[in-house]
Amino acid sequence: MSDLDREEYPGLLHWLRYFCAFMLYMYGTSKLLHFQFNLQSELAPRPIGSLNGYQLTWFYFGVSRVYACILGLTQVVGATLLLFRKTTLMGALAMLPIMVNILLINIFILVDDYGPYVISMLICISLLIILWHQRRGLLTLLWSTQNGEPDSSKRTHWWIRSSIVLIVASMMISIVVLQHRLLHSRRPTHPVVRNQ
């Protein structure tokens, strides 16, 4: 047995993973059963400017039933992984990016709806605590065991990385400058009328 296998597993982590699993099952199955993202017929006739953040989000994500089902299925699979200690790390790693994205949507788009904001924040914090407990194993897996470029080609890779950054930066600057010029060229010029 390795040191990681022998390491004591705090009881709090069991409660956190079961809490996350329960909530992810709730949200995942509600998407699969079409309880979420189901306002298309109600919102479609309305002008887009009249919709609030909640309505826009639900309308946008509900445009594709397949997407809603994939998102729901992902949450159900993640919840299932969190039910078992052996697969908890896999479930937490899979669910954290999804839940962070949902949390950001809840914070910046569903501004006045605090229920989903609080729940998604609690899930994210729980997943982070679970991952923090496994930080040594994660650091070993994601950093220590990974190889860098061979010494013989380090300079080549440095040039490639630098070129990518410079080319993208140049392209973005050029686009900004062109958009700025187009914007100014479209503005009507009004003749100056002087009082006589």
Side-chain angles (χ1 to χ4, degrees):
M1 270 185 138
S2 69
D3 291 339
L4 286 173
D5 292 328
R6 287 195 210 97
E7 189 178 353
E8 187 180 342
Y9 195 81
L12 172 67
L13 297 186
H14 290 301
W15 291 107
L16 292 178
R17 67 189 176 93
Y18 289 142
F19 164 73
C20 290
F22 176 80
M23 295 311 302
L24 288 168
Y25 272 133
M26 291 291 290
Y27 284 115
T29 53
S30 68
K31 289 176 182 71
L32 292 172
L33 295 173
H34 207 211
F35 297 150
Q36 287 190 335
F37 308 149
N38 57 358
L39 299 178
Q40 273 57 44
S41 58
E42 182 183 323
L43 298 176
R46 294 178 52 184
I48 195 166
S50 70
L51 303 179
N52 61 30
Y54 171 83
Q55 294 165 333
L56 281 170
T57 303
W58 276 53
F59 183 79
Y60 174 77
F61 284 115
V63 166
S64 171
R65 182 78 186 104
V66 175
Y67 172 79
C69 286
I70 291 171
L71 183 57
L73 190 60
T74 303
Q75 290 178 313
V76 167
V77 169
T80 305
L81 291 172
L82 288 167
L83 287 179
F84 304 94
R85 181 173 166 185
K86 195 170 184 73
T87 55
T88 293
L89 180 60
M90 193 186 314
L93 281 172
M95 286 295 97
L96 185 62
I98 293 169
M99 289 311 304
V100 167
N101 185 47
I102 290 171
L103 176 62
L104 292 174
I105 290 169
N106 290 339
I107 291 172
F108 295 109
I109 299 174
L110 310 183
V111 178
D112 297 324
D113 197 354
Y114 295 107
Y117 165 79
V118 171
I119 295 296
S120 57
M121 184 174 63
L122 288 174
I123 294 171
C124 286
I125 290 170
S126 300
L127 293 172
L128 285 170
I129 292 170
I130 291 167
L131 292 173
W132 179 253
H133 179 72
Q134 301 286 335
R135 63 192 177 281
R136 285 191 297 154
L138 285 170
L139 188 63
T140 300
L141 174 67
L142 300 175
W143 183 261
S144 304
T145 59
Q146 302 303 310
N147 296 323
E149 288 88 2
D151 289 337
S152 59
S153 62
K154 274 189 177 178
R155 181 172 288 187
T156 303
H157 288 285
W158 186 89
W159 280 109
I160 292 170
R161 287 191 294 263
S162 301
S163 298
I164 289 170
V165 171
L166 287 171
I167 289 169
V168 171
S170 301
M171 289 173 66
M172 293 301 111
I173 291 169
S174 300
I175 290 169
V176 168
V177 169
L178 283 172
Q179 283 183 335
H180 187 69
R181 286 183 180 171
L182 283 172
L183 183 66
H184 284 292
S185 67
R186 288 184 189 157
R187 285 186 182 165
T189 53
H190 299 291
V192 178
V193 178
R194 292 189 177 147
N195 291 333
Q196 301 204 4

